[in-house]
Tab-separated table of all heavy atoms in Angstrom:
chain	number	residue	atom	x	y	z
A	20	SER	N	0.820	-1.218	0.000
A	20	SER	CA	0.000	0.000	0.000
A	20	SER	C	0.854	1.268	0.000
A	20	SER	O	0.348	2.355	-0.309
A	20	SER	CB	-0.925	0.017	1.228
A	20	SER	OG	-0.175	0.070	2.434
A	21	VAL	N	2.159	1.141	0.334
A	21	VAL	CA	3.021	2.326	0.354
A	21	VAL	C	3.537	2.676	-1.039
A	21	VAL	O	4.131	3.745	-1.229
A	21	VAL	CB	4.216	2.130	1.319
A	21	VAL	CG1	3.737	1.865	2.733
A	21	VAL	CG2	5.151	1.014	0.847
A	22	VAL	N	3.360	1.783	-2.009
A	22	VAL	CA	3.793	2.086	-3.381
A	22	VAL	C	2.873	3.160	-3.945
A	22	VAL	O	1.655	3.012	-3.960
A	22	VAL	CB	3.757	0.825	-4.270
A	22	VAL	CG1	4.221	1.174	-5.685
A	22	VAL	CG2	4.622	-0.277	-3.679
A	23	ARG	N	3.454	4.253	-4.394
A	23	ARG	CA	2.670	5.393	-4.867
A	23	ARG	C	1.791	5.005	-6.048
A	23	ARG	O	2.159	4.168	-6.865
A	23	ARG	CB	3.599	6.551	-5.281
A	23	ARG	CG	2.911	7.911	-5.279
A	23	ARG	CD	3.946	9.036	-5.395
A	23	ARG	NE	4.551	9.053	-6.711
A	23	ARG	CZ	4.088	9.797	-7.722
A	23	ARG	NH1	3.024	10.565	-7.540
A	23	ARG	NH2	4.686	9.785	-8.885
A	24	ASP	N	0.644	5.592	-6.129
A	24	ASP	CA	-0.300	5.277	-7.204
A	24	ASP	C	0.362	5.369	-8.573
A	24	ASP	O	1.133	6.293	-8.842
A	24	ASP	CB	-1.493	6.249	-7.156
A	24	ASP	CG	-2.358	5.996	-5.935
A	24	ASP	OD1	-2.221	4.913	-5.340
A	24	ASP	OD2	-3.144	6.896	-5.575
A	25	ASN	N	0.023	4.376	-9.434
A	25	ASN	CA	0.485	4.336	-10.822
A	25	ASN	C	1.998	4.116	-10.948
A	25	ASN	O	2.555	4.276	-12.042
A	25	ASN	CB	0.105	5.630	-11.561
A	25	ASN	CG	-1.397	5.866	-11.558
A	25	ASN	OD1	-2.167	4.907	-11.696
A	25	ASN	ND2	-1.810	7.124	-11.406
A	26	ALA	N	2.678	3.777	-9.860
A	26	ALA	CA	4.131	3.520	-9.922
A	26	ALA	C	4.373	2.013	-10.023
A	26	ALA	O	3.627	1.206	-9.458
A	26	ALA	CB	4.825	4.081	-8.679
A	27	LYS	N	5.389	1.652	-10.787
A	27	LYS	CA	5.735	0.249	-10.910
A	27	LYS	C	6.399	-0.286	-9.647
A	27	LYS	O	6.216	-1.427	-9.251
A	27	LYS	CB	6.666	0.041	-12.106
A	27	LYS	CG	6.007	0.326	-13.449
A	27	LYS	CD	6.972	0.042	-14.597
A	27	LYS	CE	6.304	0.293	-15.941
A	27	LYS	NZ	7.234	0.043	-17.077
A	28	LYS	N	7.189	0.564	-9.009
A	28	LYS	CA	7.851	0.165	-7.775
A	28	LYS	C	8.326	1.403	-7.031
A	28	LYS	O	8.492	2.476	-7.616
A	28	LYS	CB	9.035	-0.752	-8.055
A	28	LYS	CG	10.177	-0.112	-8.836
A	28	LYS	CD	11.301	-1.105	-9.066
A	28	LYS	CE	12.414	-0.491	-9.928
A	28	LYS	NZ	13.521	-1.436	-10.176
A	29	CYS	N	8.527	1.225	-5.731
A	29	CYS	CA	9.106	2.316	-4.953
A	29	CYS	C	10.520	1.907	-4.546
A	29	CYS	O	10.821	0.716	-4.379
A	29	CYS	CB	8.253	2.639	-3.731
A	29	CYS	SG	8.425	1.492	-2.367
A	30	ILE	N	11.390	2.882	-4.403
A	30	ILE	CA	12.794	2.636	-4.077
A	30	ILE	C	13.188	3.544	-2.916
A	30	ILE	O	12.920	4.743	-2.935
A	30	ILE	CB	13.718	2.919	-5.281
A	30	ILE	CG1	13.334	2.045	-6.480
A	30	ILE	CG2	15.173	2.694	-4.897
A	30	ILE	CD1	14.100	2.374	-7.755
A	31	VAL	N	13.805	2.933	-1.924
A	31	VAL	CA	14.341	3.711	-0.807
A	31	VAL	C	15.809	3.342	-0.678
A	31	VAL	O	16.164	2.162	-0.602
A	31	VAL	CB	13.610	3.416	0.509
A	31	VAL	CG1	14.196	4.282	1.636
A	31	VAL	CG2	12.116	3.685	0.356
A	32	GLU	N	16.661	4.357	-0.662
A	32	GLU	CA	18.100	4.130	-0.612
A	32	GLU	C	18.696	4.997	0.495
A	32	GLU	O	18.394	6.176	0.607
A	32	GLU	CB	18.725	4.473	-1.961
A	32	GLU	CG	20.190	4.108	-2.087
A	32	GLU	CD	20.715	4.322	-3.500
A	32	GLU	OE1	20.499	3.451	-4.348
A	32	GLU	OE2	21.293	5.401	-3.745
A	33	ALA	N	19.547	4.346	1.348
A	33	ALA	CA	20.170	5.073	2.456
A	33	ALA	C	21.678	4.866	2.411
A	33	ALA	O	22.157	3.729	2.270
A	33	ALA	CB	19.613	4.591	3.790
A	34	GLU	N	22.405	5.976	2.489
A	34	GLU	CA	23.862	5.919	2.468
A	34	GLU	C	24.386	6.196	3.883
A	34	GLU	O	24.020	7.191	4.512
A	34	GLU	CB	24.421	6.941	1.481
A	34	GLU	CG	25.939	6.915	1.377
A	34	GLU	CD	26.484	7.926	0.371
A	34	GLU	OE1	25.687	8.328	-0.525
A	34	GLU	OE2	27.652	8.327	0.491
A	35	PHE	N	25.269	5.289	4.368
A	35	PHE	CA	25.789	5.398	5.733
A	35	PHE	C	27.319	5.454	5.718
A	35	PHE	O	27.965	4.798	4.890
A	35	PHE	CB	25.383	4.185	6.580
A	35	PHE	CG	23.918	4.095	6.862
A	35	PHE	CD1	23.063	3.438	5.982
A	35	PHE	CD2	23.386	4.649	8.006
A	35	PHE	CE1	21.716	3.331	6.252
A	35	PHE	CE2	22.029	4.558	8.286
A	35	PHE	CZ	21.190	3.905	7.399
A	36	ASN	N	27.864	6.190	6.660
A	36	ASN	CA	29.297	6.120	6.953
A	36	ASN	C	29.438	5.144	8.126
A	36	ASN	O	29.028	5.442	9.245
A	36	ASN	CB	29.845	7.502	7.327
A	36	ASN	CG	31.359	7.459	7.561
A	36	ASN	OD1	31.933	6.410	7.808
A	36	ASN	ND2	32.000	8.619	7.485
A	37	ILE	N	30.007	3.967	7.866
A	37	ILE	CA	30.058	2.918	8.902
A	37	ILE	C	31.483	2.643	9.360
A	37	ILE	O	31.768	1.594	9.936
A	37	ILE	CB	29.416	1.616	8.381
A	37	ILE	CG1	30.181	1.081	7.158
A	37	ILE	CG2	27.952	1.849	8.024
A	37	ILE	CD1	29.686	-0.280	6.701
A	38	ALA	N	32.370	3.582	9.122
A	38	ALA	CA	33.780	3.369	9.466
A	38	ALA	C	33.971	3.057	10.946
A	38	ALA	O	34.854	2.266	11.326
A	38	ALA	CB	34.605	4.584	9.071
A	39	ASP	N	33.156	3.657	11.813
A	39	ASP	CA	33.328	3.486	13.257
A	39	ASP	C	32.380	2.443	13.850
A	39	ASP	O	32.279	2.311	15.074
A	39	ASP	CB	33.108	4.825	13.968
A	39	ASP	CG	34.163	5.852	13.576
A	39	ASP	OD1	35.302	5.441	13.282
A	39	ASP	OD2	33.837	7.059	13.562
A	40	TYR	N	31.676	1.688	13.013
A	40	TYR	CA	30.648	0.778	13.514
A	40	TYR	C	31.146	-0.665	13.675
A	40	TYR	O	30.411	-1.516	14.147
A	40	TYR	CB	29.419	0.791	12.588
A	40	TYR	CG	28.565	2.019	12.746
A	40	TYR	CD1	29.018	3.259	12.331
A	40	TYR	CD2	27.303	1.949	13.316
A	40	TYR	CE1	28.242	4.390	12.475
A	40	TYR	CE2	26.513	3.077	13.471
A	40	TYR	CZ	26.991	4.312	13.043
A	40	TYR	OH	26.216	5.436	13.188
A	41	GLN	N	32.380	-0.922	13.243
A	41	GLN	CA	33.003	-2.249	13.418
A	41	GLN	C	32.113	-3.374	12.874
A	41	GLN	O	31.730	-4.300	13.569
A	41	GLN	CB	33.303	-2.482	14.899
A	41	GLN	CG	34.219	-1.413	15.494
A	41	GLN	CD	34.404	-1.559	16.986
A	41	GLN	OE1	34.001	-2.536	17.580
A	41	GLN	NE2	35.034	-0.577	17.595
A	42	LEU	N	31.773	-3.232	11.601
A	42	LEU	CA	30.872	-4.199	10.953
A	42	LEU	C	31.572	-5.099	9.939
A	42	LEU	O	30.904	-5.824	9.212
A	42	LEU	CB	29.727	-3.440	10.258
A	42	LEU	CG	28.827	-2.593	11.163
A	42	LEU	CD1	27.767	-1.897	10.322
A	42	LEU	CD2	28.180	-3.446	12.229
A	43	LYS	N	32.894	-5.049	9.908
A	43	LYS	CA	33.612	-5.851	8.907
A	43	LYS	C	33.320	-7.334	9.064
A	43	LYS	O	33.199	-8.070	8.076
A	43	LYS	CB	35.117	-5.596	9.008
A	43	LYS	CG	35.539	-4.211	8.535
A	43	LYS	CD	37.054	-4.042	8.608
A	43	LYS	CE	37.477	-2.657	8.112
A	43	LYS	NZ	38.946	-2.463	8.194
A	44	SER	N	33.213	-7.800	10.300
A	44	SER	CA	32.973	-9.227	10.523
A	44	SER	C	31.614	-9.654	9.971
A	44	SER	O	31.474	-10.732	9.385
A	44	SER	CB	33.054	-9.552	12.018
A	44	SER	OG	32.098	-8.798	12.755
A	45	ILE	N	30.594	-8.794	10.126
A	45	ILE	CA	29.264	-9.124	9.601
A	45	ILE	C	29.285	-9.157	8.079
A	45	ILE	O	28.727	-10.066	7.442
A	45	ILE	CB	28.215	-8.102	10.097
A	45	ILE	CG1	28.044	-8.219	11.610
A	45	ILE	CG2	26.884	-8.308	9.384
A	45	ILE	CD1	27.037	-7.252	12.188
A	46	PHE	N	29.947	-8.162	7.462
A	46	PHE	CA	30.057	-8.150	6.000
A	46	PHE	C	30.788	-9.398	5.512
A	46	PHE	O	30.437	-9.987	4.485
A	46	PHE	CB	30.777	-6.883	5.540
A	46	PHE	CG	29.877	-5.692	5.397
A	46	PHE	CD1	29.329	-5.078	6.514
A	46	PHE	CD2	29.558	-5.190	4.148
A	46	PHE	CE1	28.494	-3.975	6.392
A	46	PHE	CE2	28.722	-4.085	4.004
A	46	PHE	CZ	28.180	-3.477	5.134
A	47	SER	N	31.814	-9.816	6.257
A	47	SER	CA	32.576	-11.007	5.876
A	47	SER	C	31.724	-12.256	6.018
A	47	SER	O	31.747	-13.134	5.143
A	47	SER	CB	33.824	-11.115	6.766
A	47	SER	OG	34.553	-12.280	6.456
A	48	GLU	N	30.943	-12.350	7.093
A	48	GLU	CA	30.073	-13.509	7.306
A	48	GLU	C	29.057	-13.643	6.180
A	48	GLU	O	28.722	-14.768	5.768
A	48	GLU	CB	29.341	-13.374	8.644
A	48	GLU	CG	30.231	-13.558	9.869
A	48	GLU	CD	29.473	-13.247	11.155
A	48	GLU	OE1	28.239	-13.029	11.068
A	48	GLU	OE2	30.105	-13.225	12.227
A	49	GLU	N	28.549	-12.509	5.691
A	49	GLU	CA	27.519	-12.532	4.651
A	49	GLU	C	28.101	-12.456	3.243
A	49	GLU	O	27.367	-12.336	2.270
A	49	GLU	CB	26.539	-11.374	4.866
A	49	GLU	CG	25.857	-11.376	6.225
A	49	GLU	CD	25.016	-12.624	6.454
A	49	GLU	OE1	24.645	-13.273	5.452
A	49	GLU	OE2	24.746	-12.948	7.620
A	50	ASP	N	29.442	-12.515	3.151
A	50	ASP	CA	30.136	-12.484	1.855
A	50	ASP	C	29.787	-11.213	1.072
A	50	ASP	O	29.445	-11.266	-0.116
A	50	ASP	CB	29.776	-13.737	1.042
A	50	ASP	CG	30.745	-13.951	-0.119
A	50	ASP	OD1	31.879	-13.435	-0.039
A	50	ASP	OD2	30.364	-14.606	-1.101
A	51	LEU	N	29.867	-10.069	1.761
A	51	LEU	CA	29.567	-8.782	1.148
A	51	LEU	C	30.828	-7.924	1.094
A	51	LEU	O	31.706	-8.039	1.961
A	51	LEU	CB	28.492	-8.040	1.957
A	51	LEU	CG	27.105	-8.690	2.013
A	51	LEU	CD1	26.226	-7.968	3.023
A	51	LEU	CD2	26.445	-8.682	0.636
A	52	ASP	N	30.894	-7.049	0.094
A	52	ASP	CA	32.017	-6.111	-0.014
A	52	ASP	C	31.845	-5.019	1.041
A	52	ASP	O	30.809	-4.346	1.081
A	52	ASP	CB	32.066	-5.500	-1.413
A	52	ASP	CG	32.372	-6.544	-2.482
A	52	ASP	OD1	33.066	-7.512	-2.151
A	52	ASP	OD2	31.898	-6.373	-3.624
A	53	TYR	N	32.875	-4.846	1.860
A	53	TYR	CA	32.803	-3.815	2.894
A	53	TYR	C	33.312	-2.486	2.350
A	53	TYR	O	34.374	-2.412	1.729
A	53	TYR	CB	33.631	-4.214	4.117
A	53	TYR	CG	33.694	-3.127	5.166
A	53	TYR	CD1	32.681	-2.998	6.105
A	53	TYR	CD2	34.759	-2.205	5.188
A	53	TYR	CE1	32.715	-1.988	7.053
A	53	TYR	CE2	34.799	-1.189	6.132
A	53	TYR	CZ	33.775	-1.085	7.069
A	53	TYR	OH	33.813	-0.086	8.002
A	54	LEU	N	32.524	-1.422	2.602
A	54	LEU	CA	32.919	-0.063	2.241
A	54	LEU	C	32.590	0.844	3.422
A	54	LEU	O	31.519	0.699	4.054
A	54	LEU	CB	32.168	0.424	0.998
A	54	LEU	CG	32.393	-0.366	-0.312
A	54	LEU	CD1	31.434	0.143	-1.388
A	54	LEU	CD2	33.836	-0.237	-0.780
A	55	ASP	N	33.483	1.784	3.726
A	55	ASP	CA	33.185	2.731	4.797
A	55	ASP	C	31.927	3.517	4.479
A	55	ASP	O	31.133	3.839	5.369
A	55	ASP	CB	34.370	3.679	5.012
A	55	ASP	CG	35.531	2.994	5.726
A	55	ASP	OD1	35.300	1.913	6.315
A	55	ASP	OD2	36.657	3.530	5.687
A	56	GLN	N	31.729	3.846	3.197
A	56	GLN	CA	30.503	4.498	2.732
A	56	GLN	C	29.633	3.419	2.090
A	56	GLN	O	29.793	3.102	0.909
A	56	GLN	CB	30.816	5.621	1.742
A	56	GLN	CG	31.540	6.818	2.329
A	56	GLN	CD	30.664	7.606	3.281
A	56	GLN	OE1	31.068	7.922	4.383
A	56	GLN	NE2	29.448	7.919	2.857
A	57	SER	N	28.744	2.843	2.835
A	57	SER	CA	27.921	1.741	2.333
A	57	SER	C	26.505	2.208	2.049
A	57	SER	O	25.979	3.115	2.729
A	57	SER	CB	27.884	0.597	3.345
A	57	SER	OG	29.114	-0.099	3.362
A	58	ILE	N	25.903	1.570	1.044
A	58	ILE	CA	24.552	1.957	0.622
A	58	ILE	C	23.614	0.760	0.774
A	58	ILE	O	23.880	-0.328	0.263
A	58	ILE	CB	24.548	2.432	-0.848
A	58	ILE	CG1	25.420	3.686	-0.991
A	58	ILE	CG2	23.121	2.711	-1.317
A	58	ILE	CD1	25.558	4.162	-2.431
A	59	LEU	N	22.503	0.992	1.474
A	59	LEU	CA	21.444	0.000	1.621
A	59	LEU	C	20.276	0.427	0.739
A	59	LEU	O	19.894	1.616	0.734
A	59	LEU	CB	20.972	-0.097	3.070
A	59	LEU	CG	21.775	-0.989	4.029
A	59	LEU	CD1	23.219	-0.535	4.127
A	59	LEU	CD2	21.119	-1.026	5.407
A	60	ARG	N	19.709	-0.501	-0.022
A	60	ARG	CA	18.613	-0.159	-0.932
A	60	ARG	C	17.509	-1.207	-0.835
A	60	ARG	O	17.782	-2.412	-0.730
A	60	ARG	CB	19.107	-0.051	-2.376
A	60	ARG	CG	18.022	0.481	-3.321
A	60	ARG	CD	18.565	0.863	-4.683
A	60	ARG	NE	18.706	-0.283	-5.569
A	60	ARG	CZ	19.876	-0.833	-5.912
A	60	ARG	NH1	20.999	-0.331	-5.431
A	60	ARG	NH2	19.935	-1.864	-6.721
A	61	ARG	N	16.292	-0.729	-0.870
A	61	ARG	CA	15.129	-1.625	-0.842
A	61	ARG	C	14.202	-1.241	-1.970
A	61	ARG	O	13.877	-0.058	-2.161
A	61	ARG	CB	14.412	-1.479	0.504
A	61	ARG	CG	13.244	-2.447	0.724
A	61	ARG	CD	13.715	-3.808	1.201
A	61	ARG	NE	12.599	-4.693	1.466
A	61	ARG	CZ	11.959	-4.758	2.630
A	61	ARG	NH1	12.330	-3.960	3.621
A	61	ARG	NH2	10.983	-5.618	2.803
A	62	GLU	N	13.775	-2.232	-2.744
A	62	GLU	CA	12.838	-2.006	-3.841
A	62	GLU	C	11.572	-2.811	-3.572
A	62	GLU	O	11.647	-3.999	-3.257
A	62	GLU	CB	13.459	-2.431	-5.171
A	62	GLU	CG	14.699	-1.631	-5.551
A	62	GLU	CD	15.286	-2.088	-6.883
A	62	GLU	OE1	14.731	-3.049	-7.468
A	62	GLU	OE2	16.282	-1.493	-7.338
A	63	LEU	N	10.429	-2.140	-3.674
A	63	LEU	CA	9.136	-2.799	-3.435
A	63	LEU	C	8.269	-2.636	-4.669
A	63	LEU	O	7.941	-1.510	-5.069
A	63	LEU	CB	8.450	-2.185	-2.210
A	63	LEU	CG	7.084	-2.764	-1.844
A	63	LEU	CD1	7.192	-4.250	-1.534
A	63	LEU	CD2	6.497	-2.015	-0.650
A	64	LEU	N	7.909	-3.786	-5.291
A	64	LEU	CA	7.086	-3.750	-6.495
A	64	LEU	C	5.612	-3.732	-6.122
A	64	LEU	O	5.213	-4.239	-5.061
A	64	LEU	CB	7.389	-4.952	-7.388
A	64	LEU	CG	8.644	-4.870	-8.273
A	64	LEU	CD1	9.903	-4.895	-7.417
A	64	LEU	CD2	8.666	-6.022	-9.273
A	65	ALA	N	4.798	-3.182	-7.004
A	65	ALA	CA	3.357	-3.119	-6.764
A	65	ALA	C	2.752	-4.517	-6.643
A	65	ALA	O	1.718	-4.706	-6.001
A	65	ALA	CB	2.679	-2.333	-7.887
């Protein structure tokens, strides 16, 4: 219901500076590329 009328999908993107969050181990566990400037994105289709 949050997808705007007549839109195919909604996109929310958040950019974080995680240099001080000590998340390298989590990124390694999930086999993800670690970047101090990391971007999380969520796409929701109608």
Side-chain angles (χ1 to χ4, degrees):
S20 64
V21 301
V22 180
R23 202 168 70 92
D24 291 343
N25 301 321
K27 294 182 179 179
K28 65 180 176 180
C29 77
I30 301 174
V31 181
E32 188 173 279
E34 181 179 338
F35 293 88
N36 183 340
I37 61 174
D39 296 329
Y40 284 69
Q41 302 174 9
L42 299 179
K43 290 182 179 179
S44 59
I45 294 180
F46 275 70
S47 178
E48 289 173 7
E49 302 299 339
D50 196 23
L51 296 171
D52 295 330
Y53 175 85
L54 298 173
D55 286 344
Q56 293 291 131
S57 286
I58 297 176
L59 276 59
R60 187 168 82 253
R61 185 82 177 273
E62 297 180 358
L63 179 60
L64 280 68

